[in-house]
Amino acid sequence: MNAGRRSTLLALIAGAASTACNEVPKGGVPKTPEQPALSRKLLPNEVIPADLDVVVRVDLSLLRKTLGPRFDQELAARYGGDPLLMSALAKGRTVTIGVRAADLEQGDHVVVVEGAEVGLDLEKEGFLPRESRNDKVKAFVRALPSDRDRTDAVVLLDERAIAFVSPVETDAVLRILRDGSDEQRGQPVAEGIVSADIRPRRLPPALERKFPSFGRLLAQVMRIRLLLKVSDDGLRLEGEIISKSDASAHKVRQFLDVFREGASGEGATAILKKMKLEKVGAVVRVTSVLSIADIAGFFTPAEASPQP
């Protein structure tokens, strides 16, 4: 081989070796480029994992004005065993709550409180910092295991927005902070007194066997979005039930008509009695004008209706 060809061959080998060194580290595993660091504030719903199928946003200040101490009593009944979370809820302006409908009694949740200048001493509370790719976000995880319905991780979204995460959801939230938000997560609108984004799931097997028709109907509903806001004529509830097809929406409309006729009009059923329904394609729109007493009825069990 002459000198010219030899030098060309050596140059090719050297170039290939250089490329291989850049792409394949010791051990033969291809290198992956480091993902760029983030630097932005996260919205409250961006840390809600998609497995939490009921996401509700509440304007705490407006609802306290509407319901008075009754609302704080409900919060205490639900989260009173978690002093860290309750201290934030007592001072917060709004709260976004993500839960799993099938496991409500288990207490799995992600709760994001905005407007709470709590001044948490997390290390004193037994939390250890976790590395974050976003310099606007700080994450802490409890060093020792906690009860299933207590706070296991805390995420500081900014100086006045804090996420409280129960143990079952800790890994999912840390994944979100690393890889980005879940596309299918609930995203209630940031307006009104209460807003909600719900993705219905199948009924538990026992209930599905007991109510097969309702189970089949529920399987046709993709999403339910609700908004309660103040209007000139009182409190206005607006909702959308998004079905898989026009035929499915027709069945949902029929079901709600029957449900409305069977409502007693007392307690929480007052909302059902007053609702107006409109079907547009695969969507059933629900509107209802309510009083403060109607909203308070959510917290007061209604008398059972004699109709099924």
Side-chain angles (χ1 to χ4, degrees), residues 275-291:
M275 69 182 177
K276 297 179 180 179
L277 303 171
E278 178 188 13
K279 179 186 161 299
V280 181
V283 178
V284 176
R285 292 176 179 167
V286 180
T287 57
S288 186
V289 178
L290 310 168
S291 67

Side-chain angles (χ1 to χ4, degrees), residues 83-85 87-88 91 116-129 138-143 151 153-156 159 162 164:
L84 200 64
L85 174 54
S87 66
K91 301 175 182 179
E117 296 178 348
V118 181
L120 300 174
D121 188 347
L122 293 173
E123 293 190 14
K124 184 179 179 181
E125 295 286 343
F127 290 84
L128 299 177
K138 296 179 181 179
F140 300 82
V141 177
R142 196 180 290 277
T151 297
V154 175
V155 181
L156 306 181
E159 62 277 3
I162 310 168
F164 298 86

Side-chain angles (χ1 to χ4, degrees), residues 210-286:
K210 189 174 182 179
F211 305 105
S213 298
F214 180 69
R216 288 192 294 271
L217 181 67
L218 191 63
Q220 296 300 308
V221 177
M222 299 172 60
R223 208 109 184 178
I224 300 172
R225 294 191 173 101
L226 300 172
L227 172 63
L228 178 67
K229 60 184 181 180
V230 178
S231 65
D232 293 337
D233 46 2
L235 299 174
R236 183 177 179 86
L237 178 69
E238 300 176 355
E240 286 188 341
I241 303 173
I242 304 169
S243 304
K244 293 182 178 180
S245 66
D246 183 271
S248 298
H250 179 70
K251 293 178 181 178
V252 169
R253 167 68 192 266
Q254 287 183 318
F255 173 81
L256 290 176
D257 279 331
V258 173
F259 212 60
R260 177 177 54 185
E261 293 302 317
S264 68
E266 299 177 0
T269 66
I271 294 176
L272 299 174
K273 202 69 175 178
K274 294 181 178 182
M275 69 182 177
K276 297 179 180 179
L277 303 171
E278 178 188 13
K279 179 186 161 299
V280 181
V283 178
V284 176
R285 292 176 179 167
V286 180

